[in-house]
Amino acid sequence: MAHSRTARTAAFFDLDKTIIARSSTLAFSRPFYAGGLINRRTVLRSAYAQFVYLLGGADHDQMERMREYLSAMCTGWDVETVKAIVADTLHHIVTPMIHEEAVELIDEHHAAGRDVVIVSSSGAEVVEPIGAMLGADKVIATRMVVADGKYTGEIEEYAYGPYKATAMLALAEAEGYDLENSYAYSDSVTDEPMLAAVGHPFAVNPDKALRRLAVARDWPVLDFSEPVGLAERGRFHEVRRPAMATVAVAGLAAGALLLAARRRARRTEN
């Protein structure tokens, strides 16, 4: 991409375990259960998956299996029901999980004139309201095909791993971002392409593999503390029920897959 003196810059933030301390989509399992989208068994699996996710996360193969699982699971879900549940429970679910350091970084980048872009493999119907609450300018997220107001089960855009970097390059081309002078933040080694796409990559609360990579490449490492309640400080934008025509759902109820993968790993180790 050609640089010019008028080129804009951006700061790209992964969402889960970077801006917030948990998986954004798994966090909505209970509201989705209350709304009739998933059953109790899925809620319990999701709760365990959250624990596993915090311990080590999912590798590439697990994420691919999660993608296949989610396609089958949410086929036929009503889009408006999903959006309404997210909108109605957003502040209660997400606000307690947000890292204050991430909010401060977002403010600093905005003050410097940069666009803030959230890049997440979670679904757009979850990521876009969170982005609006945080004052993000753009969102890159997984999107699923919708027909007659319901998810078909087909994934239109899967924002994971190298696909994140591809989407960032396309957005940079469209918006005129100078990626060499832009920033990116993530916790996972699977986001190496996303971090390598910019001139200023940062590893945030990195997993072991990303921490090693950051040391090898001399990337700065940021360690965010446990999240604190920020709602009472008036730091977040008011979010109304989104009115997007096409949204997506990704990563929900991946507990069974993560649990099975972790059990296989333990058997292998033993």
Side-chain angles (χ1 to χ4, degrees):
M1 176 180 170
H3 295 181
S4 73
R5 62 187 180 86
T6 59
R8 303 160 61 200
T9 56
F12 299 88
F13 285 83
D14 174 48
L15 181 60
D16 297 352
K17 297 177 73 175
T18 302
I19 292 178
I20 63 177
R22 298 174 58 195
S23 160
S24 55
T25 312
L26 290 180
F28 281 96
S29 60
R30 290 186 183 277
F32 283 170
Y33 166 70
L37 294 178
I38 58 178
N39 59 31
R40 176 173 169 78
R41 187 178 183 184
T42 301
V43 174
L44 296 175
R45 284 176 171 175
S46 296
Y48 188 82
Q50 182 62 63
F51 174 71
V52 174
Y53 179 90
L54 288 172
L55 288 180
D59 62 21
H60 175 75
D61 290 341
Q62 290 166 353
M63 287 297 293
E64 288 298 318
R65 288 193 292 273
M66 287 164 63
R67 177 171 66 163
E68 295 171 3
Y69 184 78
L70 100 92
S71 296
M73 182 192 66
C74 60
T75 299
W77 281 12
D78 181 78
V79 176
E80 291 303 319
T81 298
V82 174
K83 291 194 291 185
I85 291 171
V86 172
D88 290 343
T89 58
L90 180 66
H91 284 281
H92 173 70
I93 295 294
V94 175
T95 299
M97 303 191 301
I98 296 175
H99 289 294
E100 183 170 15
E101 296 94 334
V103 175
E104 291 173 350
L105 270 176
I106 289 171
D107 290 344
E108 289 174 9
H109 283 298
H110 273 148
R114 299 184 191 96
D115 279 1
V116 170
V117 183
I118 294 180
V119 187
S120 176
S121 59
S122 290
E125 90 295 335
V126 169
V127 181
E128 288 184 346
I130 294 175
M133 183 174 69
L134 293 166
D137 301 284
K138 307 283 183 183
V139 161
I140 293 171
T142 294
R143 297 179 182 274
M144 288 186 71
V145 177
V146 174
D148 298 324
K150 299 183 184 298
Y151 298 116
T152 68
E154 298 176 87
I155 295 180
E156 182 178 353
E157 299 174 24
Y158 187 39
Y160 171 75
Y163 303 111
K164 285 187 177 183
T166 301
M168 287 167 57
L169 291 171
L171 183 62
E173 183 67 26
E175 297 292 330
Y177 296 146
D178 174 7
L179 290 180
E180 184 60 32
N181 287 305
S182 292
Y183 294 70
Y185 302 84
S186 179
D187 70 288
S188 174
V189 73
T190 60
D191 283 339
E192 183 276 337
M194 168 184 171
L195 295 172
V198 301
H200 301 284
F202 288 80
V204 177
N205 291 350
D207 57 30
K208 290 181 180 179
L210 180 57
R211 191 175 289 271
R212 286 194 298 268
L213 184 66
V215 170
R217 297 190 184 179
D218 200 25
W219 290 351
V221 174
L222 304 178
D223 291 302
F224 290 172
S225 61
E226 285 299 305
V228 295
L230 300 179
E232 63 277 7
R233 305 188 189 185
R235 297 290 295 275
F236 300 126
H237 298 259
E238 183 64 29
V239 178
R240 294 177 175 83
R241 190 166 295 184
M244 296 164 286
T246 304
V247 294
V249 60
L252 180 67
L257 298 168
L258 287 173
L259 176 56
R262 191 64 63 176
R263 283 174 174 168
R264 284 194 298 271
R266 283 201 297 266
R267 284 198 298 267
T268 301
E269 291 170 0
N270 295 333

